[in-house]
Amino acid sequence: MTSAGASVVRTHAGAVRGRREDGLVVFRGIPFAEPPVGDARFAAPRPVTAWDGTRDAFAFGPPPPQESGFQGRTGVIDAPMGDDWLTVNVWTPDADPAARRPVMVWIYGGAYKLGHSGSPGYDARRIARDGDLVVVTLNYRLGVEGFARIDGAPANRGLLDQVAALEWVRENIAAFGGDPGRVTVFGESAGAGSVASLLAMPSAAGLFGRAIAQSVPGPFFSDDLACDIAAAIAAEAGLRPTAADLSSVDPRRLTAVGEALGPKMREFEDRWGMVAHTLTAFSPVVDGEVLPTAPWQALAAGSARDVELIVGHTRNEYRLFAALGGQLGTITDEQATAALRTFGPGPGMGLGPGSGFGADGERAYRAAFPDATPEELYEWVHSDAVFRMPSLRLAEAQIAGGGRAHVYELAWPAPAYGGALGACHGLDIPLLFGTFAADLGLMLFAGVGSSPEAEAVSSRFRTAWTAFATTGDPGWPAYDTERRPTQVFDTESVVTAYPHETSRRLWEHHDFGALPLIGQSA
């Protein structure tokens, strides 16, 4: 039922009222599961309780409890306080059940510890309007609540939340004008790691037919490693890593416990290896049940052969993190050596610079890039190990398993700071959503804002994604391991052979998978 300014849709749990905005109907803050508090804390998501009457869906649901961080600097809009973290939002051209439009479901990133679907940078109106499709965004549990491996709770609760949201889409999206048989999941960074996980999870099978993974992060944890990290987190509060102990701390205060571990992670290098040198103590856990195997092994075995895939990365992935850490222009040869020995491919990959095994990775990079400066080597090995090669290898695994994948790279540089950030991590978000003045867009377009060139790149990027969601064809050939066709988005976008052949060869024999626990504490 629609009126000039509102639209009412009946979901399985009850009726919701959305608003007409800029030629769309928008619904915010619809619960897809019960609040995960009380006896539901640290449990798998539970079906939402039905309600009577019509529920206004005008405001985003509360953000899930999370650490402070860069993504939190801009705040959120229309986000009340409360425990109703598990909500979805819908942008639709028309809530007409007969429309059967394609559906895109966005999963935000943020190192598995930050993020909220109500962030202004994820305003999906341009995607829905330009693509004439339905867009859904969702919240999922983060940090300790969503990803810590604790006794008495299922692993990967944040991923289980995503599955529950996709089940909500399957059951309800037709009433919003969407086609539950044409669902595309898409996400960036930790959101891309989540997409990769969903491709490998039996519980997510059949919930979507297409997937887009933007900058897939490489670290996935083995069960032993995840348990050890959880013990260290709980110890910050003098607790055991159990659901019973951690439930004694309010969810909004428990985030500080995870955050307190961050500056101390280097102390665990002898047990956690490369993880101790990353920005997060949280990642999906290959627990053998919720996530039976790491995505690269699962896809190679055919877990997603029936799902069409786009996967890619930005050209200068790590430069954003170097800038945020004040490292641009400061990297010494000693720092480059430590990074190469920690993150370079070979038997020492992931074991840390003091392991004695990482020299192979260092030698390989220095031989492959003999003229590179220490800063270039530092950036290149981080970009390759953490994002670029895991993304490329996911495409190759999909092909090996009998599926189809399209590969891309974003090469257009962020305009802020005279282009010093290059095509850095996260630049694809404001380009895709067209949100140049929100969240990361504020930083990457600061003092410059939108421009005809930015709008043109943004339009090409967005059009490729919506065309793929609609037809399965993003506008360039599927990847193969002989010609390696890759769409490079730039001022003049081209299809070319994969542009980082040297890095590809350095990593072609490395097996991405669950990172092990190296040793035990004394």
Side-chain angles (χ1 to χ4, degrees):
M1 180 177 68
T2 62
S3 64
S7 180
V8 174
V9 168
R10 178 162 295 280
T11 72
H12 280 36
V16 292
R17 180 183 292 109
R19 284 177 171 159
R20 290 196 170 274
E21 302 175 9
D22 298 329
L24 302 169
V25 187
V26 184
F27 300 80
R28 297 180 173 93
I30 304 172
F32 66 83
E34 281 292 283
V37 295
D39 63 359
R41 186 139 178 228
F42 300 118
R46 299 178 179 179
V48 66
T49 301
W51 59 85
D52 296 324
T54 299
R55 178 177 181 142
D56 285 341
F58 300 158
F60 291 112
Q66 58 194 270
E67 299 180 16
S68 60
F70 174 74
Q71 290 196 8
R73 291 181 187 177
T74 57
V76 295
I77 58 175
D78 294 334
M81 295 298 293
D83 299 327
D84 231 342
W85 314 324
L86 302 183
T87 59
V88 294
N89 319 294
V90 181
W91 285 257
T92 179
D94 188 14
D96 177 5
R100 310 290 285 188
R101 287 181 170 90
V103 180
M104 297 187 73
V105 181
W106 171 254
I107 303 175
Y108 54 73
Y112 306 103
K113 62 182 182 179
L114 302 169
H116 173 227
S117 63
S119 295
Y122 303 143
D123 186 327
R125 70 184 67 188
R126 294 188 69 175
I127 299 175
R129 190 169 55 229
D130 293 0
D132 190 33
L133 43 69
V134 179
V135 181
V136 178
T137 66
L138 61 95
N139 281 355
Y140 60 96
R141 279 174 284 183
L142 301 163
V144 177
E145 300 291 326
F147 288 93
R149 185 67 168 110
I150 57 180
D151 292 340
N156 301 306
R157 295 170 299 281
L159 298 179
L160 292 175
D161 293 344
Q162 296 167 18
V163 171
L166 287 167
E167 290 173 338
W168 182 93
V169 169
R170 179 184 60 192
E171 295 165 0
N172 295 284
I173 206 62
F176 294 84
D179 183 350
R182 283 197 293 170
V183 174
T184 300
V185 293
F186 65 129
E188 184 269 349
S189 196
S194 297
V195 169
S197 299
L198 292 168
L199 290 167
M201 291 170 60
S203 61
L207 294 175
F208 55 92
R210 295 178 181 132
I212 305 173
Q214 304 168 209
S215 301
V216 179
F220 276 62
F221 296 165
S222 67
D223 209 43
D224 287 344
L225 174 60
C227 288
D228 201 65
I229 293 173
I233 293 171
E236 291 293 323
L239 301 171
R240 298 170 300 167
T242 66
D245 273 24
L246 294 173
S247 291
S248 68
V249 183
D250 182 272
R252 292 169 186 81
R253 298 184 62 187
L254 189 59
T255 59
V257 177
E259 193 164 8
L261 180 67
K264 305 176 183 179
M265 286 176 62
R266 295 287 179 95
E267 300 172 12
F268 297 88
E269 177 185 281
D270 61 330
R271 303 201 321 258
W272 303 351
M274 69 173 284
V275 175
H277 295 264
T278 64
L279 300 176
T280 182
F282 304 102
S283 280
V285 181
V286 180
D287 65 307
E289 184 176 349
V290 175
L291 185 59
T293 57
W296 299 271
Q297 287 72 43
L299 266 64
S303 70
R305 65 165 57 96
D306 295 327
V307 178
E308 297 168 322
L309 175 66
I310 291 177
V311 62
H313 52 72
T314 69
R315 178 157 293 181
N316 308 106
E317 286 279 3
Y318 198 74
R319 201 172 296 179
L320 174 69
F321 304 104
L324 293 175
Q327 294 178 309
L328 289 182
T330 70
I331 300 300
T332 65
D333 196 60
E334 290 76 16
Q335 288 173 304
T337 294
L340 292 169
R341 293 189 172 203
T342 300
F343 292 96
M349 197 269 179
L351 300 185
S355 67
F357 294 103
D360 286 351
E362 179 194 2
R363 282 193 294 267
Y365 262 83
R366 290 190 183 277
F369 303 102
D371 299 323
T373 66
E375 184 155 8
E376 288 169 337
L377 290 169
Y378 184 88
E379 177 191 320
W380 227 240
V381 73
H382 275 99
S383 294
D384 281 345
V386 182
F387 295 112
R388 294 196 309 207
M389 295 303 107
S391 299
L392 178 65
R393 295 296 293 278
L394 192 73
E396 293 177 345
Q398 174 72 340
I399 295 165
R404 191 179 79 183
H406 298 262
V407 173
Y408 76 92
E409 178 181 69
L410 174 60
W412 186 78
Y417 312 109
L421 294 177
C424 64
H425 187 75
L427 176 60
D428 45 331
I429 296 174
L431 288 174
L432 175 60
F433 285 86
T435 49
F436 303 107
D439 298 346
L440 267 178
L442 283 172
M443 175 183 181
L444 303 181
F445 293 82
V448 180
S450 177
S451 67
E453 183 177 294
E455 289 286 358
V457 176
S458 174
S459 178
R460 284 196 293 272
F461 208 78
R462 190 163 49 252
T463 297
W465 268 219
T466 58
F468 177 73
T470 302
T471 69
D473 181 3
W476 72 92
Y479 194 78
D480 66 72
T481 54
E482 294 183 4
R483 298 178 299 117
R484 306 188 186 280
T486 303
Q487 173 70 63
V488 177
F489 290 98
D490 205 337
T491 305
E492 297 294 332
S493 297
V494 297
V495 177
T496 184
Y498 183 70
H500 304 291
E501 179 65 9
T502 301
S503 292
R504 187 193 70 78
R505 288 187 177 276
L506 286 174
W507 288 87
E508 65 181 336
H509 298 301
H510 177 78
D511 289 328
F512 286 97
L515 295 171
L517 177 65
I518 297 170
Q520 303 291 341
S521 57

